[in-house]
Amino acid sequence: MSGKRILSGMQPSGQLHLGNYHGALKNWVTMQSSLDCFFFIADLHSLTTLYQDPQLIKKYSFEVAVDWLSSGLDPEKCTLFVQSAIPEHAELHLILSMMVPVPWLERNPTYKEKQDEVKNIDMSSYGFLGYPVLQTADIVLYKANAVPVGIDQVPHLELSREIIRRFNKLYKKKVFIEPEAEISDVPKLNGIDGRKMSKSYNNAIFLSDSEKNITKKVMSMLTDPSRGRRTDPGDPDVCNLFPMHKIYSPVEMQKEIISACKKAEIGCGDCKQKLADNLLKSMLPKMEKRRNVAAKPKEVYEILRAGTEKARGVAQATLSEAKTAMKII
Ligand code: TRP
Ligand code: SF4
């Protein structure tokens, strides 16, 4: 195992879907074999949007852990833990918050975007403004060298680096490491309606969906809108379905579809059926594993407990190093 430390987190805001899998999880599963990986459930971050229904966070955290394990994250190879079970995250967040200028946080594009986007929840909280500060605490506690994230998280990572530089300069000691953002090249995966796959758009295919549901969802996917009739030629390049063929169908079949679609020799119904078959073939083993994992909740909680215990040791050591540098202990 190389000495490189990787850390990443996911908010437990619901069941994971194919977008989460291809955008992050798949990459995590690959990394766990060669790097020192810490992955955590960012349940405190979820309170920024679920503070009115906090009881959901526990339920979703379990679902996320089950999705992780059935997708191939292996507690023998990586450390899996729960953010809220390690109070050092909250304590370091508080300490960092004392030295982060509010304008740095107000400038954060995600802060503004999310406030515009989310209409049903009041997102003007103090905690939500400080979201990147908590995220910085998450990262530095484990002295992570690299943080695999989606492109949307890049401004957060840049802010983390600024906060880290400020801390290290103020207390004249390089306690914290500036992490690199490791951006995975995510295949563009849209939901059934053609918008970005997202739980809140109600357009996602979940890892926990049944076989029947997955087929139903694939069959209802939006295709090239110019194929109003079966006899109209289409273009896979503008079709919302085709990126999934690129992931799940053999290259030969992809070629056949491209040519047949352009000549209107294949109907979208048949094309969708082929995708559904290939998608299911790839998902069935994981779906079975998911059922087995979900049937043994005690084992899932034990994995998280053991991972949390290990992670907490690391977090405690870093926090005391930080407080020593500040001369407050
Ligand atoms: N903000 C991340 C997301 O929503 C989740 C997260 C919280 C995170 N803390 C982190 C990711 C630390 C990487 C490192 O996707
Ligand atoms: Fe899309 Fe397939 Fe229909 Fe072509 S045939 S528009 S690729 S679903």
Side-chain angles (χ1 to χ4, degrees), residues 172-305:
K172 300 181 183 60
K173 188 157 185 281
K174 282 206 163 162
V175 179
F176 302 140
I177 297 175
E178 278 185 57
E180 301 296 332
E182 198 143 304
I183 300 145
S184 51
D185 57 316
V186 187
K188 199 167 154 283
L189 250 202
N190 287 336
I192 41 187
D193 58 358
R195 291 185 291 172
K196 183 182 162 172
M197 192 179 286
S198 159
K199 184 188 154 246
S200 49
Y201 291 158
N202 228 335
N203 65 358
I205 298 176
F206 295 99
L207 305 182
S208 48
D209 275 341
S210 69
E211 207 176 319
K212 221 174 101 197
N213 242 332
I214 291 175
T215 309
K216 218 170 87 190
K217 286 183 180 180
V218 171
M219 297 312 286
S220 67
M221 278 183 83
L222 178 80
T223 65
D224 179 350
S226 67
R227 290 202 78 181
R229 276 166 307 203
R230 165 72 178 76
T231 47
D232 294 332
D235 182 359
D237 280 341
V238 300
C239 174
N240 172 47
L241 189 85
F242 199 69
M244 285 226 207
H245 270 299
K246 284 194 194 154
I247 299 176
Y248 290 104
S249 300
V251 182
E252 264 320 297
M253 186 186 282
Q254 293 178 33
K255 284 189 193 150
E256 281 164 30
I257 290 173
I258 294 172
S259 135
C261 173
K262 289 183 173 166
K263 292 188 238 155
E265 287 172 1
I266 184 176
C268 290
D270 290 341
C271 187
K272 287 173 175 176
Q273 189 59 56
K274 285 181 199 288
L275 174 65
D277 293 346
N278 295 333
L279 174 61
L280 280 174
K281 203 152 91 200
S282 145
M283 285 183 79
L284 280 173
K286 286 182 196 132
M287 286 159 80
E288 190 187 333
K289 186 158 184 206
R290 197 181 192 287
R291 280 191 295 274
N292 293 335
V293 173
K296 296 181 192 135
K298 275 198 190 129
E299 288 180 18
V300 176
Y301 286 118
E302 176 51 27
I303 288 168
L304 293 176
R305 192 208 55 75

Side-chain angles (χ1 to χ4, degrees), residues 10-16 40-47 50 54-69 81-84 290 300-301 304:
M10 255 185 221
Q11 286 194 51
S13 47
Q15 269 133 344
L16 301 184
F40 71 99
I41 296 176
D43 55 349
L44 293 174
H45 277 109
S46 288
L47 276 172
L50 285 176
Q55 73 290 351
L56 291 176
I57 297 176
K58 263 194 119 59
K59 180 167 123 81
Y60 291 158
S61 296
F62 177 75
E63 298 290 343
V64 167
V66 171
D67 281 331
W68 283 2
L69 296 169
F81 69 97
V82 180
Q83 182 190 35
S84 66
R290 197 181 192 287
V300 176
Y301 286 118
L304 293 176

